[in-house]
Amino acid sequence: MYTNADRETLELLAANVAIAIENARLFDEVQKLAITDPLTHLYNRRKFEESASKEFDRSRRYNRPLCAIMIDLDQFKAVNDTYGHLAGDQTLAAVADLCQKNIRNIDILARYGGEEFVILLPETTASQAFLSAERLRNDCETTKIESVQGPISLTISLGLADLNKTCKTLEELLDRADQALYESKRTGRNKSTIWTVHLSHPL
């Protein structure tokens, strides 16, 4: 029923469709790479700030609870120095996986930089966020991380801050969580601290 000319037309059409599908796949892959940390497969800092800004604005507009948790691996340099950078990378990926398992679908998790992670928790009070932080801290403390150099034990420190009337920007919320994180590390590590005004320092 089809002539050679029909066949050639269909083959040309099929080739063009295949190219279009491949181009769309490559575009999606490039888009994903632009917003994803390649080691942990979490959002990168740029994507986090974009998504978190929208959630921050929504929470302020409707007067809804919102919390941020900053997370830092304790003495991570010693892991790299003792076990090597490949084991260090595996440790970061394992902590990212633990974080992922401890959050809800509505939470925003990202690798914030180096050995630091951040979670934004919509519709969450400081006391609720503290329970989540402690659950994650306990998980990290009791989990043996598998690496090329064998099992690695690691702890994390966490700092929390909640949105209140004195907090005007996402940057300020994250800075408060970072101040609380510093307090956790300053006072012995492997603990969670909720920000209070006495921890405050100028931006």
Side-chain angles (χ1 to χ4, degrees):
M1 295 177 62
Y2 296 100
T3 66
N4 285 338
D6 292 331
R7 189 189 67 210
E8 289 171 2
T9 300
L10 289 171
E11 288 174 349
L12 181 59
L13 179 61
N16 286 335
V17 168
I19 290 169
I21 291 172
E22 178 65 8
N23 286 343
R25 187 191 66 79
L26 290 173
F27 178 79
D28 286 343
E29 191 172 318
V30 169
Q31 291 291 97
K32 185 177 179 181
L33 289 172
I35 64 172
T36 304
D37 173 61
L39 175 63
T40 62
H41 306 295
L42 302 180
Y43 281 156
N44 59 24
R45 183 168 179 167
R46 182 172 70 87
K47 177 59 178 176
F48 171 81
E49 289 175 347
E50 176 188 316
S51 300
S53 292
K54 294 175 183 176
E55 189 55 51
F56 181 89
D57 291 343
R58 185 196 70 83
S59 297
R60 281 203 76 200
R61 183 180 306 115
Y62 297 109
N63 194 28
R64 302 302 302 165
L66 179 71
C67 278
I69 302 177
M70 299 293 288
I71 304 159
D72 190 78
L73 278 62
D74 293 331
Q75 298 177 319
F76 180 66
K77 184 178 183 300
V79 173
N80 279 329
D81 291 347
T82 303
Y83 300 103
H85 287 279
L86 177 56
D89 286 350
Q90 291 173 321
T91 301
L92 283 169
V95 172
D97 189 51
L98 285 174
C99 290
Q100 190 78 64
K101 289 175 180 175
N102 274 277
I103 64 171
R104 305 163 300 174
N105 289 337
I106 63 170
D107 298 333
I108 304 170
L109 167 66
R111 184 180 180 189
Y112 204 62
E115 64 268 24
E116 199 167 47
F117 299 88
V118 61
I119 310 172
L120 194 76
L121 299 94
E123 302 295 331
T124 306
T125 64
S127 58
Q128 291 169 335
F130 184 79
L131 292 175
S132 296
E134 280 293 282
R135 186 168 56 247
L136 173 58
R137 186 189 63 77
N138 271 314
D139 278 358
C140 284
E141 186 177 18
T142 58
T143 297
K144 293 289 186 182
I145 295 171
E146 294 301 323
S147 79
V148 291
Q149 297 295 331
I152 295 174
S153 296
L154 187 85
T155 61
I156 58 173
S157 295
L158 306 96
L160 299 77
D162 64 329
L163 176 61
N164 60 33
K165 292 180 180 178
T166 68
C167 185
K168 305 300 184 186
T169 65
L170 175 64
E171 179 187 20
E172 189 172 5
L173 180 67
L174 296 177
D175 185 68
R176 290 178 179 185
D178 201 49
Q179 291 167 25
L181 169 61
Y182 175 78
E183 183 69 6
S184 290
K185 296 186 84 68
R186 188 186 70 81
T187 55
R189 303 185 180 91
N190 189 27
K191 62 191 297 186
S192 304
T193 301
I194 299 176
W195 181 88
T196 58
V197 69
H198 83 274
L199 297 177
S200 189
H201 63 66
L203 281 172

